[in-house]
Amino acid sequence: MESLLQHLERFSELLAVSRTTHVSTWDPTTVRRALQWARYLRHVHRRFGRHVRIRTALERRLRSQWRQKGASGSAAVPGLNFQALGRCDLLLSLRLLENRALGDAACHYLLQQLFPGPGVPDADEETLQGSLARLARRRSAVHMLLFNGYGENSVLEESVLKTQAELLLERLGEVPKAEAEGRSRFLSTLWDRLPQKNFLKVIAAALLLPPSSPRPQGEELELDTPKTPGEGGQELVHWLLARSDVMAAFCHDLPVGLLASVAGRHPEFSRAYLGLLTDWGRHLHYDLQKGTWVGAEPQHVSWEELYGRFQSLCQAPPPLKDEVLTALESCKAQDGDFQVPGLSIWTDLFLALGSGS
Amino acid sequence: MWCLCCLINKEPQNSEESKLNSWTRGLLSHILSGFRFDTKEVGLFTQGLGYVPADYCPGLLKNMVLSLVSELRENHLNGFNTQRRMVPEKIRFLSRVCIPLVTLPDIEPLVEALLTCHGHEPQEVLWPEFFDAVNEAFLLKKISLPTSAVVCLWLRHLPSLEKATLHLFEKLISSERNFLRRIECFLKDSLLPEAACHPAIFRIVDEMFRYALLETDGAPEVLVAVQGFTRCFVEALEKKNKQLKFTFKTYFPYASPSLVTVLLQRPEDIPQELWHQPLKHISEMLREIVEDQTHGSYGGPFECWFLFIHFGGWADIAAEQLVMSEAEPSEALLWLLAFSCSPHDGSPQRAQTMVEVKAVLSRLKKLLRSPILSAKDLQAAAAESQDRDPRPPLCQQLIRRLLLNFLLWAPGGHVNAREVIALMAPSDEIAHDMTGFLDQTLYRWDHLRMEAPRSRKLARELLAELRMVGTAMQGPGSPRPRDVMRRPFLRGMSAENEP
């Protein structure tokens, strides 16, 4: 077992090195050995995929490696998770192929190994050449389909978001639960490092993933970790609610209808969202001259926007809709339960919604 | 990609070769992992999480296919809470884009959705080459589609249906015609019998069979194919009984409905003793139509014959009944047999045939009592009388089949198979014909669940002997025996009755 773990560690280093200019010193024998290691690990993956104990041990070692590298701040060293072991030879080959520093002789050898050409029998049922061919076909399919959407592309944009969401949840699931605050820290790091607008959209997509979503990336059916998207979703919500800055950005930037859907799926979020809306509402006062509600400062949300948000919430199916109406009613009551417009914003909202719904 | 690899030089001699090398390498790596999203943010996101395109490409493709499929199905409800329907131009464009992707397994759901989505436009909205590509892939087994999708394909694009039928014909006719089981496999595999439950498809396939029959002058292979097809078709129809409800007239518009109903009866549902009843009925109805000079609405002799051979099993049963029964051979059955073997005969020729057959049968009946049968006896029974015209080949074939039937059923002692074959099958074509007949007979007995251990054994022995003889006679590279059992008059028959 220990030798296996060492092997794993050495391979991760190898993978890291394959991106650097160090490969210029490699000759065909080195390439051959590297590919052999990769093939061995792929075999390990296949054999022990269902063997829980070995698998957990391997995963733990991989994770610790990744965290070390990440902590030391070295530039983007992708982590290997157990699933990726299933295609580690593919990953290694691609890296070497992309690396310009690889010498001609070594490269030639590599290509011979990768593409032996038609009609070469292989004992392995899934040849590397086959996987590469499949990857190339899939990639071109993705590009052709992306190209297809002229004009509105939002259907395909949505699938891109959904894929990112699945990736996010997969990574999130790898952070061990036992660690206190491990997942929140992970998410906060991501928030700081990654483009934020996109990140918000991805979070929303992740919160809307169907609960029985199958394993995102693995081609093989594995007895995967028991973490489901539902659980990951919960973690996301908790983190979101804990970070008021992120929450504010989330609620400001994303489309109103999307927020309503998210609120419909996650009751904790809907409560926080309502709280935020009531907060915003309190900043508005009635301007007698204009005859409408305005905010004191420019960054305050306008009446129209507030109304729009409440309206979309009320278009949601019953549990959420009733919750929203109840909240509005209680605010209205707190304010004095006026029936006449112009005195309490909650009355006005209630009236406006009532005529609409 | 392999070809590209061959371009790469192991030891580049000069800077140009190095540049070529590096260009090729760049191209290869681009093919495999170049990924360009519209915004940089997505790339940064995935990289930040530690993923490379090879990791998420399959998942991304799957999600894209899923959302396109659900959009096509008009029940697309995404997080934006809107219902989206694809406009026709977009569907068209999508079908065009899918043409080179048709054989990729991940794209199958999308292909299926495109085929089964019924737009609201009166014209066909999909790109025609899309249908061609899908049909090709289906025929070459590079894509697996549910039957409903294939039926939609064929209903929407006639050339695909025609190609599929021709493809089936090629398989049926080039394969060894003697293996009926294999023919049945091919038929079921092709999905055509099941698709033919839809009358439009049935009519087109039937029409193609009709032309094939005419073009080949009634070649036996085509006859067998028609029968096999009809059998599988009827089976599929019965399975679908609850769902599709078309009257028989939609499938056989030029036939009398009562005739069709009788023909569609399954012999296995009727007790053996009562088989003579439907046979008599069929014979009478056919005779009425054929001999009616005014050529009523049910087409002429050819149409009748074409309809009848769909259900060729009845003719075989008629022959068996004639041979097995002790009674005087019935006129109806004789007429039926004569008609099925040569439909183009005028009344006098047919009458002549019937007389000949009757004579042979009466001689055979005498042999029924004898404990031992020899090949010579059979030959004597089948001998032509000297003072009449020689029998036409089709009549010969009929007599031969009757003899074989007799041989299989007569209680008389063991007969030397080799002797029989030597005497009865002097030529390649005849041997071929007899092999086909025996194979069909065994097949029919299986379907009707007839217990006849002795007969079966004999039939198998004869078959084995024939096959040995066949391989001996056939040298390497020799062409397949041309059948003399053709009916070149068919064309004349059908021309006047072209609907």
Side-chain angles (χ1 to χ4, degrees), chain A residues 38-253:
Chain A
R39 213 171 303 153
Y40 169 66
L41 280 175
R42 199 182 88 185
H43 170 77
V44 163
H45 166 90
R46 209 175 339 181
R47 260 215 75 200
F48 297 120
R50 296 181 188 265
H51 203 289
V52 181
R53 267 196 352 198
I54 296 186
R55 186 186 164 142
T56 345
L58 288 173
E59 278 181 340
R60 219 177 314 145
R61 182 63 72 96
L62 284 169
R63 267 198 297 266
S64 68
Q65 281 172 5
W66 187 28
R67 216 121 30 80
Q68 279 170 21
K69 301 267 171 67
S72 66
S74 62
V77 174
L80 262 185
N81 60 8
F82 188 75
Q83 233 165 17
L85 278 185
R87 23 171 209 276
C88 60
D89 52 353
L90 194 74
L91 293 173
L92 178 64
S93 320
L94 285 174
R95 284 184 182 212
L96 287 175
L97 209 57
E98 288 164 13
N99 195 342
R100 296 303 182 139
L102 191 64
D104 281 318
C107 181
H108 187 83
Y109 178 78
L110 174 69
L111 288 174
Q112 264 184 338
Q113 291 302 303
L114 293 183
F115 302 110
V120 172
D122 199 299
D124 217 323
E125 25 170 69
E126 205 184 272
T127 66
L128 189 52
Q129 180 176 243
S131 325
L132 284 168
R134 211 175 23 240
L135 178 65
R137 289 185 81 191
R138 282 176 164 159
R139 183 200 149 277
S140 18
V142 166
H143 273 269
M144 292 194 75
L145 289 178
L146 276 177
F147 174 64
N148 163 68
Y150 65 98
E152 278 212 328
N153 211 353
S154 50
V155 173
L156 295 172
E157 185 195 324
E158 181 202 305
S159 36
V160 171
L161 281 173
K162 189 168 167 208
T163 314
Q164 292 178 77
E166 285 168 352
L167 293 176
L168 175 64
L169 288 179
E170 191 179 307
R171 279 291 185 234
L172 194 58
E174 286 164 13
V175 179
K177 238 162 133 177
E179 262 173 52
E181 305 292 317
R183 296 189 176 182
S184 319
R185 221 171 338 127
F186 173 67
L187 288 169
S188 302
T189 328
L190 288 178
W191 173 252
D192 294 329
R193 282 205 330 223
L194 300 174
Q196 293 183 340
K197 234 173 139 223
N198 187 46
F199 192 46
L200 289 174
K201 287 195 222 162
V202 173
I203 293 179
L207 291 177
L208 289 174
L209 276 180
S212 58
S213 181
R215 292 307 111 228
Q217 302 307 326
E219 296 174 56
E220 310 95 54
L221 268 173
E222 302 181 349
L223 276 113
D224 215 37
T225 55
K227 303 171 190 96
T228 62
E231 236 182 75
Q234 287 293 79
E235 307 269 350
L236 269 177
V237 172
H238 288 153
W239 175 76
L240 192 60
L241 296 182
R243 296 276 306 249
S244 54
D245 54 339
V246 185
M247 179 71 174
F250 191 76
C251 298
H252 258 294
D253 291 349

Side-chain angles (χ1 to χ4, degrees), chain B residues 41-307:
Chain B
E41 302 176 332
V42 179
L44 286 170
F45 184 83
T46 50
Q47 263 179 12
L49 280 182
Y51 287 111
V52 287
D55 290 321
Y56 56 79
C57 194
L60 178 58
L61 185 58
K62 188 174 78 115
N63 283 335
M64 286 168 76
V65 168
L66 269 176
S67 42
L68 283 170
V69 166
S70 67
E71 200 186 3
L72 276 170
R73 299 247 158 100
E74 288 179 311
N75 55 6
H76 188 72
L77 262 176
N78 56 21
F80 299 85
N81 264 334
T82 55
Q83 290 236 315
R84 220 175 275 273
R85 220 169 49 108
M86 251 198 224
V87 292
E89 294 84 41
K90 190 151 181 226
I91 300 183
R92 194 175 173 82
F93 196 72
L94 186 59
S95 73
R96 198 169 177 192
V97 160
C98 283
I99 292 174
L101 302 174
V102 149
T103 54
L104 193 56
D106 311 77
I107 300 283
E108 252 168 49
L110 186 55
V111 170
E112 190 191 328
L114 279 170
L115 286 174
T116 52
C117 81
H118 298 290
H120 302 270
E121 307 287 310
Q123 302 103 327
E124 179 55 70
V125 81
L126 296 180
W127 204 258
E129 280 83 358
F130 173 71
F131 292 119
D132 282 325
V134 177
N135 198 39
E136 272 300 308
F138 172 70
L139 291 177
L140 295 173
K141 304 253 183 277
K142 289 194 179 153
I143 188 178
S144 69
L145 289 169
T147 312
S148 52
V150 180
V151 171
C152 282
L153 165 67
W154 287 336
L155 282 173
R156 285 166 86 157
H157 193 235
L158 182 60
S160 298
L161 174 58
E162 291 173 346
K163 267 196 212 133
T165 316
L166 285 174
H167 184 90
L168 176 66
F169 280 5
E170 267 172 46
K171 267 212 238 167
L172 290 182
I173 295 179
S174 65
S175 79
E176 281 217 25
R177 111 189 193 201
N178 301 328
F179 291 128
L180 271 175
R181 289 203 191 283
R182 196 127 62 97
I183 291 184
E184 197 172 284
C185 269
F186 284 150
L187 278 164
K188 292 215 173 117
D189 239 5
S190 72
L191 295 187
L192 274 169
E194 208 179 320
C197 293
H198 202 293
I201 294 187
F202 179 83
R203 295 279 296 279
I204 298 208
V205 177
D206 204 40
E207 192 70 20
M208 291 178 82
F209 270 122
R210 184 194 268 113
Y211 278 128
L213 215 55
L214 287 172
E215 290 297 313
T216 59
D217 297 328
E221 295 95 327
V222 183
L223 280 177
V224 167
V226 175
Q227 283 176 24
F229 175 78
T230 315
R231 212 178 1 247
C232 295
F233 160 69
V234 170
E235 227 179 274
L237 204 59
E238 276 165 15
K239 274 197 210 137
K240 282 213 165 113
N241 217 2
K242 312 282 181 331
Q243 297 164 30
L244 291 178
K245 263 300 179 192
F246 295 103
T247 65
F248 293 139
K249 199 159 173 63
T250 17
Y251 297 104
F252 300 103
Y254 305 116
S256 122
S258 40
L259 177 57
V260 174
T261 318
V262 178
L263 283 170
L264 272 170
Q265 280 179 302
R266 298 195 319 171
E268 50 262 40
D269 293 337
I270 309 171
Q272 201 170 335
E273 317 81 70
L274 295 177
W275 280 351
H276 62 275
Q277 278 179 357
L279 281 172
K280 186 154 166 280
H281 209 169
I282 294 172
S283 174
E284 282 168 2
M285 280 199 270
L286 280 173
R287 193 163 187 172
E288 198 183 310
I289 299 172
V290 168
E291 292 180 351
D292 173 12
Q293 295 300 325
T294 59
H295 288 310
S297 57
Y298 296 133
F302 175 74
E303 284 306 324
C304 281
W305 181 75
F306 184 57
L307 174 65

